Amino acid sequence: MIEILATNYGVLMGGAATTIIVSGLAIAIGMVLGLALAFGLLSHRPGLVALCGLYRSFWRGTPILVQLLIVFYMLPQLGVDVSPFVAAVIALSLNTAAFQAEIYRAGLMAIPRGEIEAARMLGIRKWTIRRRILIPQMFRLVLPPLVNEAIIIVKNSSLVSVIAVTELMRRSQQIASTTFKPLEVYLIAGAIYLAVNLLLAQAGRRMERHMTIAGAQA
């Protein structure tokens, strides 16, 4: 196993870097889309709520592998020519947006309504209330499940190998096919995934402590 790691270290690290980039982009884009979707789900407009609910149901209720393949093959049919990398980022972003929206929705609903009413009585505009009052408090409440969702996306990113994205799993498959030692190769890949997710969890705990201290001082 050590020999395989030493021989293919650069290839594996390149695949891990692609995994991190794909996952990071998906999580960041999913945050923006998920936040918009959460506010849509809490809207007083029935049509908007129904539309957001339909989106949420599809992306939460279908396998991510199916979603990847749909995005990968549908975009060219619509005249949009993108690389497998971009297709993977789009599919993962749309998927995590639906799950993040539920996390944000729960966090927003946990904030006392009295704070919103008090801000309205002071004449503060709706978008300012969201930006300055709701969203900062919500992120403090939802950080643990949000970090968990980020870890899930990192793990799910292994599926993008089916559309020929050369991330960690794809590189591992290539190495396994040439070395004929699949067990050793996939154990190394598993250890790399574990290391990335442990670092992500540690970063989440540090951020949670920082936000808790900042909230207490505010």
Side-chain angles (χ1 to χ4, degrees):
M1 184 181 298
I2 296 176
E3 181 182 353
I4 293 174
L5 178 59
T7 305
N8 300 280
Y9 179 80
V11 176
L12 289 168
M13 289 302 103
T18 302
T19 291
I20 293 170
I21 293 170
V22 169
S23 303
L25 288 173
I27 292 164
I29 297 170
M31 281 185 175
V32 178
L33 296 177
L35 192 57
L37 186 61
F39 281 116
L41 290 167
L42 294 173
S43 173
H44 297 295
R45 301 175 183 178
L48 180 59
V49 173
L51 186 62
C52 292
L54 182 63
Y55 176 96
R56 177 188 59 185
S57 296
F58 174 80
W59 291 97
R60 283 168 58 91
T62 54
I64 193 169
L65 180 58
V66 173
Q67 296 167 9
L68 280 164
L69 294 172
I70 288 174
V71 171
F72 181 68
Y73 289 111
M74 180 181 290
L75 290 178
Q77 295 294 323
L78 298 175
V80 181
D81 188 17
V82 298
S83 66
F85 178 90
V86 174
V89 171
I90 292 172
L92 289 177
S93 299
L94 295 175
N95 173 274
T96 188
F99 287 91
Q100 289 190 46
E102 277 299 291
I103 295 172
Y104 299 145
R105 187 180 68 86
L108 290 169
M109 292 180 67
I111 299 173
R113 300 296 299 176
E115 295 188 21
I116 302 173
E117 297 300 327
R120 287 174 178 170
M121 290 178 64
L122 292 172
I124 302 176
R125 295 181 179 181
K126 179 177 69 173
W127 292 105
T128 304
I129 293 173
R130 289 181 176 181
R131 188 179 71 254
R132 301 294 298 273
I133 300 175
L134 293 180
I135 294 177
Q137 291 191 68
M138 177 206 67
F139 271 111
R140 284 198 292 269
L141 293 172
V142 305
L143 188 58
L146 191 59
V147 171
N148 185 60
E149 171 62 17
I151 290 173
I152 291 172
I153 286 297
V154 172
K155 292 189 292 186
N156 284 342
S157 69
S158 63
L159 296 173
V160 306
S161 61
V162 301
I163 58 174
V165 178
T166 52
E167 43 68 71
L168 178 57
M169 182 54 63
R170 182 76 171 181
R171 293 299 191 187
S172 299
Q173 291 169 343
Q174 294 170 344
I175 295 170
S177 66
T178 57
T179 61
F180 303 103
K181 294 182 178 180
L183 177 60
E184 291 86 343
V185 173
Y186 292 131
L187 282 173
I188 293 171
I192 295 173
Y193 277 114
L194 179 61
V196 171
N197 285 329
L198 287 175
L199 288 173
L200 188 57
Q202 180 64 24
R205 285 192 291 270
R206 287 178 177 241
M207 191 179 300
E208 184 178 3
R209 286 197 298 268
H210 175 75
M211 293 179 74
T212 300
I213 294 171
Q217 294 175 345

